[in-house]
Amino acid sequence: MKININYEDEAFRKDEYEQVIERVCDEAALVYGLGPNAEISILLCHNDYIHKLNKQYRNIDRPTDVLSFALNEGEDDGYDGPDRALLGDIVISLEKVQEQAEEYGHSFERELAYLTIHGMLHILGYDHMEPDDKAEMRKEEEFILQRLGYVRKGEEL
């Protein structure tokens, strides 16, 4: 899987961020059978930037933590198999990563991993609008995070 990581602000460029994102995306590719031609783009940004996108695309006038833009959005089956090269784009607010890590009492790294897999699952067709769908998505998120050693506070592998 090819992973393109971009930055709204070059000050955000950190090897640690890229390592977390790449580990999560590679694990998702392995678990969900994404082939070597699959490609995802991820943008790390400020709250102001994601706020504008959230307002423009979702008509929600506030910053959010992660947005996903699947190139196959609207198709019934979500991801169309390993031959489809371009999966879509994920936008993550690093300010929200920090805020939520503090709010939930876990590391910045775990929150970045969580938002990355959350965005990837949206790209792959998962959603959380209905309770059953939300439960399924949460189960998948935790499955990937646990495989990578990102456990919730108070839990052990």
Side-chain angles (χ1 to χ4, degrees):
M1 166 176 240
K2 182 165 173 42
I3 305 159
N4 301 308
I5 302 173
N6 302 291
Y7 305 88
E8 178 221 352
D9 182 338
E10 279 300 312
F12 287 153
R13 185 180 297 273
K14 287 195 166 85
D15 289 342
E16 303 84 47
Y17 299 167
E18 292 188 14
Q19 290 167 1
V20 169
I21 291 167
E22 289 171 359
R23 283 184 71 220
V24 171
C25 290
D26 287 342
E27 192 66 21
L30 177 69
V31 169
Y32 299 104
L34 307 179
N37 293 330
E39 186 173 337
I40 189 84
S41 290
I42 297 175
L43 175 68
L44 301 178
C45 68
H46 289 281
N47 275 347
D48 289 346
Y49 187 85
I50 206 166
H51 182 166
K52 290 175 190 169
L53 293 177
N54 204 26
K55 184 167 174 44
Q56 179 179 355
Y57 291 101
R58 299 177 63 220
N59 203 29
I60 298 174
D61 193 13
R62 68 174 184 269
T64 189
D65 50 7
V66 61
L67 291 171
S68 298
F69 300 95
L71 289 182
N72 59 347
E73 195 167 357
E75 294 179 12
D76 291 338
D77 297 326
Y79 178 63
D80 201 23
D83 293 331
R84 173 174 230 138
L86 301 174
L87 299 176
D89 301 308
I90 298 171
V91 181
I92 299 172
S93 166
L94 289 178
E95 290 172 291
K96 284 289 186 183
V97 173
Q98 184 64 46
E99 290 169 24
Q100 291 175 181
E102 291 171 8
E103 179 182 344
Y104 298 124
H106 54 244
S107 70
F108 182 95
E109 182 180 341
R110 186 196 189 280
E111 187 65 17
L112 180 58
Y114 170 78
L115 293 176
T116 302
I117 192 57
H118 185 87
M120 278 293 294
L121 289 171
H122 276 306
I123 295 287
L124 296 174
Y126 286 83
D127 208 336
H128 47 80
M129 299 306 284
E130 300 297 326
D132 288 347
D133 294 337
K134 182 176 181 175
E136 180 182 6
M137 190 168 181
R138 294 294 177 254
K139 180 180 170 189
E140 294 298 318
E141 290 164 350
E142 290 303 321
F143 175 72
I144 296 295
L145 292 173
Q146 287 183 4
R147 285 177 59 103
L148 294 170
Y150 296 115
V151 295
R152 290 183 186 181
K153 189 175 181 179
E155 292 181 353
E156 295 180 20
L157 285 178

